[in-house]
Amino acid sequence: MNQSSQTLLSVNNLATHFATEEGIIRAVDGVSFELKRGETLGIVGESGSGKSVTNLSILRLIPEPPGRIAGGEVIFNGQDLYALTNEEMRRIRGRRIAMIFQDPMTSLNPFMRISKQLMEITRLHLGYSKSQAYEHAVSMLELVGIPDARARVDSYPHEFSGGMRQRVMIAMALSCEPELLIADEPTTALDVTIQAQILELIKDLKRKTGTSVILITHDLGVVAGMTDHIIVMYAGRIFEQARTLDLFRAPANPYTKGLLRSVPDPTSEQGELYQIPGLPPDLANLPKGCPFAARCERAEEICGREYPPFVEVAPDHHSLCHFAMEVYATSKRERESRIAAPSATGNAILPVTNQTSPSNTSLANENLR
Amino acid sequence: MFSFIVRRLLVILPMVLIVITIAWALIRLAPGDFYATERGLPPAVEKNIRAKYGLDDAWYIQYGKLMRQLAVLDFGFSRKYQEQTVNEILRRTLPVSIWVGLSAYLIALVLGLTFGTIAALRQNSALDYSSMAAAMLGISMPNFVLGPILVLVFALTLFWLPPGRWEWVEVGGIYLPNIKYLILPAITLSAVYMAYIARLTRAGMLEVLRKDYIRTARAKGLSERQVVFRHALRGGILPVVSYTGPALAFLVAGTVVVERVFALPGLGNYFINAALNRDAPLLLGITAFIAIVVLVFNLLVDIAYAYIDPRIRY
Ligand SMILES: Nc1ncnc2c1ncn2[C@@H]1O[C@H](COP(=O)(O)OP(=O)(O)O)[C@@H](O)[C@H]1O
Ligand code: SF4
Ligand SMILES: [Mg+2]
């Protein structure tokens, strides 16, 4: 969290709409954030909250039609991406901003050898010769920990397991040493043990290359140990935005608190996992007022009537809620009582892999620092 | 793969046997035979002839004879064209049918793939709608209607092309068709396949273009052309490859009609004549030949499919 470091990406008031038969879907509606060089940003939210669309919009990969970037700007390295020609944008994709996707089983071309898929990107952006690109492909596979890389580089994707394919995707994404890596739920489709390995790999490569990372997930546990900042999204909007530690210490939004409660706690024997009741709203017919109102435990009459304000509850910590200050204060109080009685933590936040955070036994310990 | 090919070749034998048996049974079951004409031959003469060709032998003797003929792929002399063997007729007529059939399928492939891909890339554009409307027309227009229309326009009105018949030209010892005679039959025969292939390609491409790996290809920074040709096309044409097997079977049926319309000296025309004349040896010979060709082509298509899609292993 080096405050003086330079801004790499700044997204301002982004809005992306889809024209559907039910009406206009505001999949992303007024999203703003900044990412500094070398930092990692986590974007969290339930499925359908607009995480993927936000990031596809940054890369201008929204299918048009039905999609349309309806407003806002994306400044990458001082350059307005929405002012670029298609040709200029293509030189940024894959080379300076790379993206890996949720499902490694379907994200690689099943008809093309891994070697060819890896070579394609360095030949395109770095002008490598065939043999250079081939050697580079082998070394990238070694870098992401594929055993016997040279022997396996000519395989087809179906000959690799899911975890191995995601490693290939990461190798491909990092081939041109991009300044920004967007990882869209890179572990959601994988087994738990593989998940941890892939996250470890991303963390490790990030340390080696200094790449900035946007890590998208629906699981707050995943981002806890990896990110500097977190954005919590719901219904296409940012509901809470804070530095990672601040968000875990004192969430200021009822939605965030619900997500935190639904993180599985390995130390607790409770079988039943908490789930926020109800379903995300129909984006084509959003009720007026707070989009979360129908599901919110904290909701009051005003929530269904008026759209909530985006409140700065503390420096660098924002929450979209009529009662942001109150929720924040409650969270702080709860934390203090937990510190007093560490055994009563209930749902502690346990990052799946946690090396940068001081401890992964419980949130309480972390708070004692 | 090798054992797959061997297995499939072994299946071809009983399949041909079944086809031939059915054809033979149908010929027997149909009332009348080659000599049952209204010419009213003297009974003694007719009796002699029937004896000569074994027409009054028990069915199993006739069937046994057929099996022997099938084993050596030699069906003896035609009954109508007494001085020619079935194999001679095949050798003479087959090149005509192959030229017409293959040019038709080639035209259909090239234009069908092109229009289908363009339609998919420009989904819902005027180009998309007009090529798909044309395809609909192509599918619903039978070739015995399209053929005469083309003849009327290009032969009888514009006088650009001959209305029918066939001509070989010798080029350095090889006989090639005179292209003027090939054009109209080939186009007539290709229309329906072109239309079908265009629709299959469009649907296949639209499906592939939605796939995750296409998004990956775009995220790599590839141009739209590279995305389509390097990444999308291969998966997009798989339905067309599968269609090529059955298409060939229909193509054979199509040649029969088109050769009739354009009076071509091809296999199909002889096939119809053989059926009308109850020329059993010729009919069975052509049937056996077509059955073998269709089955072998289906095998080739499966091999091509495995070549295109590395996930398929037999
Ligand atoms: N191609 C599309 N057409 C119509 N609606 C879409 C399309 N892609 C996404 N959406 C809408 O955008 C919303 C946000 O989707 P997404 O960003 O994928 O959510 P997630 O947070 O799970 O990544 C979804 O509710 C979906 O309805
Ligand atoms: S504004 Fe109301 S409904 Fe929305 S999150 Fe806050 S308390 Fe809940
Ligand atoms: Mg998503």
Side-chain angles (χ1 to χ4, degrees):
Chain A
M1 272 163 274
N2 180 356
Q3 294 297 329
S4 64
S5 59
Q6 185 194 349
T7 299
L8 177 66
L9 176 76
S10 116
V11 173
N12 300 318
N13 223 355
L14 179 68
T16 306
H17 297 174
F18 289 95
T20 68
E21 279 165 18
E22 287 79 48
I24 303 276
I25 289 185
R26 294 166 199 275
V28 175
D29 197 7
V31 164
S32 305
F33 61 85
E34 273 197 5
L35 179 65
K36 297 200 167 68
R37 270 186 192 282
E39 280 195 353
T40 301
L41 171 74
I43 302 185
V44 192
E46 289 171 303
S47 167
S49 51
K51 308 180 296 293
S52 297
V53 172
T54 300
N55 287 279
L56 291 172
S57 300
I58 292 172
L59 272 176
R60 286 173 44 183
L61 284 177
I62 295 293
E64 296 179 41
R68 184 172 73 90
I69 291 169
E73 55 176 15
V74 174
I75 312 289
F76 177 73
N77 233 338
Q79 213 170 14
D80 181 357
L81 294 190
Y82 292 168
L84 299 181
T85 63
N86 288 334
E87 178 60 36
E88 290 166 331
M89 192 62 216
R90 278 202 293 275
R91 282 199 290 268
I92 290 190
R93 280 186 211 129
R95 166 156 204 175
R96 304 183 62 191
I97 307 179
M99 188 153 180
I100 53 183
F101 299 99
Q102 172 167 346
D103 194 348
M105 304 309 263
T106 58
S107 293
L108 288 165
N109 187 336
F111 305 117
M112 209 187 256
R113 292 179 197 281
I114 304 269
S115 51
K116 213 168 157 206
Q117 301 192 48
L118 285 169
M119 288 160 70
E120 193 173 44
I121 194 164
T122 49
R123 299 201 68 189
L124 176 74
H125 291 301
L126 307 179
Y128 278 11
S129 70
K130 262 195 175 140
S131 56
Q132 270 178 313
Y134 191 83
E135 288 309 313
H136 191 258
V138 173
S139 65
M140 284 311 293
L141 288 189
E142 279 163 357
L143 182 70
V144 297
I146 298 219
D148 246 347
R150 188 168 293 276
R152 305 187 67 184
V153 66
D154 286 323
S155 311
Y156 284 100
H158 72 273
E159 298 169 71
F160 278 32
S161 68
M164 286 295 162
R165 283 190 224 183
Q166 198 59 295
R167 284 174 196 264
V168 172
M169 282 297 291
I170 294 171
M172 199 154 83
L174 295 180
S175 284
C176 300
E177 299 183 3
E179 290 146 86
L180 173 60
L181 173 69
I182 299 175
D184 189 348
E185 311 218 26
T187 60
T188 304
L190 303 175
D191 293 344
V192 181
T193 46
I194 312 288
Q195 276 186 19
Q197 291 171 11
I198 294 291
L199 290 175
E200 202 49 53
L201 174 68
I202 294 176
K203 219 154 71 174
D204 190 43
L205 293 175
K206 180 187 140 57
R207 200 168 335 121
K208 281 185 191 148
T209 59
T211 311
S212 307
V213 176
I214 295 181
L215 179 65
I216 303 171
T217 171
H218 61 261
D219 182 357
L220 263 172
V222 165
V223 287
M226 281 190 71
T227 59
D228 302 300
H229 282 84
I230 289 181
I231 289 175
V232 178
M233 282 190 74
Y234 184 76
R237 294 134 225 256
I238 294 182
F239 263 54
E240 187 162 2
Q241 191 164 17
R243 279 182 294 185
T244 303
L245 279 183
D246 294 341
L247 187 104
F248 281 106
R249 281 178 182 161
N253 192 288
Y255 177 58
T256 313
K257 294 188 84 166
L259 289 179
L260 282 167
R261 277 180 69 190
S262 48
V263 174
D265 174 7
T267 63
S268 140
E269 293 299 312
Q270 288 174 302
E272 196 86 341
L273 198 59
Y274 175 78
Q275 268 219 313
I276 302 175
L279 290 172
D282 173 7
L283 291 179
N285 298 298
L286 275 182
K288 73 178 206 289
C290 176
F292 189 55
R295 308 169 65 191
C296 183
E297 287 179 351
R298 181 73 177 74
E300 288 181 23
E301 186 263 337
I302 185 177
C303 300
R305 190 157 39 81
E306 275 174 40
Y307 193 78
F310 200 51
V311 181
E312 181 161 27
V313 294
D316 221 2
H317 190 165
H318 294 78
S319 164
L320 186 79
C321 181
H322 286 296
F323 308 106
M325 288 313 291
E326 290 90 331
V327 176
Y328 182 65
T330 314
S331 293
K332 278 174 97 169
R333 249 197 331 277
E334 283 168 1
R335 181 178 119 237
E336 271 147 25
S337 62
R338 268 204 307 272
I339 294 170
S343 57
T345 31
N347 270 300
I349 291 312
L350 293 182
V352 171
T353 58
N354 194 334
Q355 292 195 329
T356 52
S357 295
S359 151
N360 59 2
T361 50
S362 80
L363 180 65
N365 284 344
E366 202 170 272
N367 292 339
L368 284 172
R369 276 203 314 155
Chain B
M1 187 55 141
F2 178 73
S3 80
F4 165 74
I5 294 173
V6 171
R7 255 182 296 136
R8 282 288 297 268
L9 283 174
L10 288 178
V11 175
I12 287 182
L13 289 178
M15 295 279 274
V16 173
L17 207 65
I18 291 170
V19 169
I20 283 296
T21 304
I22 292 174
W24 174 78
L26 284 176
I27 294 171
R28 273 183 68 90
L29 290 175
D33 59 47
F34 183 64
Y35 300 97
T37 60
E38 281 116 43
R39 275 172 292 174
L41 291 170
V45 175
E46 190 180 330
K47 194 161 171 256
N48 271 342
I49 293 176
R50 296 187 75 86
K52 178 183 171 198
Y53 291 110
L55 292 179
D56 292 325
D57 290 346
W59 66 268
Y60 48 86
I61 295 188
Q62 294 193 28
Y63 188 68
K65 188 174 154 205
L66 175 67
M67 288 301 110
R68 276 196 304 281
Q69 291 178 327
L70 185 60
V72 293
L73 288 179
D74 181 356
F75 294 86
F77 282 90
S78 154
R79 280 193 197 140
K80 172 81 179 173
Y81 312 97
Q82 294 260 341
E83 70 292 357
Q84 298 174 48
T85 64
V86 170
N87 283 351
E88 277 165 5
I89 294 177
L90 279 176
R91 213 168 299 136
R92 190 159 41 80
T93 58
L94 187 64
V96 176
S97 303
I98 289 185
W99 271 103
V100 175
L102 287 191
S103 351
Y105 202 65
L106 212 66
I107 296 173
L109 264 184
V110 171
L111 295 183
L113 286 174
T114 310
F115 282 114
T117 308
I118 293 174
L121 294 180
R122 304 260 174 282
Q123 197 191 355
N124 300 333
S125 70
L127 200 66
D128 180 18
Y129 288 135
S130 48
S131 37
M132 284 308 116
M136 204 58 229
L137 196 69
I139 285 174
S140 38
M141 170 108 66
N143 42 25
F144 58 81
V145 174
L146 180 61
I149 292 178
L150 292 181
V151 168
L152 189 67
V153 175
F154 294 100
L156 303 181
T157 309
L158 296 169
F159 300 106
W160 288 353
L161 295 164
R165 301 213 168 270
W166 189 261
E167 215 176 79
W168 292 104
V169 283
E170 198 194 325
V171 184
I174 311 168
Y175 282 92
L176 294 175
N178 182 340
I179 196 150
K180 281 208 293 198
Y181 292 85
L182 178 60
I183 292 177
L184 286 186
I187 290 179
T188 305
L189 186 54
S190 75
V192 92
Y193 304 100
M194 193 191 304
Y196 228 93
I197 290 172
R199 283 163 55 112
L200 282 173
T201 308
R202 177 180 184 270
M205 287 298 283
L206 282 179
E207 188 180 326
V208 167
L209 286 170
R210 275 197 302 268
K211 296 257 166 159
D212 287 349
Y213 66 83
I214 296 301
R215 189 182 52 189
T216 306
R218 294 211 171 97
K220 276 175 161 178
L222 295 172
S223 71
E224 210 43 40
R225 229 187 58 219
Q226 290 165 322
V227 169
V228 170
F229 286 100
R230 271 194 224 161
H231 288 271
L233 204 56
R234 213 170 165 132
I237 63 167
L238 277 181
V240 176
V241 176
S242 326
Y243 171 66
T244 298
L248 189 92
F250 295 123
L251 203 61
V252 170
T255 7
V256 171
V257 177
V258 167
E259 285 174 12
R260 201 75 184 168
V261 170
F262 290 93
L264 306 180
L267 197 63
N269 223 339
Y270 275 80
F271 190 63
I272 294 184
N273 285 339
L276 294 175
N277 295 330
R278 296 295 159 75
D279 190 342
L282 186 55
L283 210 46
L284 289 170
I286 296 178
T287 306
F289 182 80
I290 290 175
I292 292 171
V293 168
V294 168
L295 289 168
V296 168
F297 253 83
N298 269 309
L299 174 60
L300 292 180
V301 165
D302 285 347
I303 294 172
Y305 203 97
Y307 175 76
I308 293 178
D309 187 344
R311 290 168 300 183
I312 306 277
R313 282 292 162 259
Y314 299 113

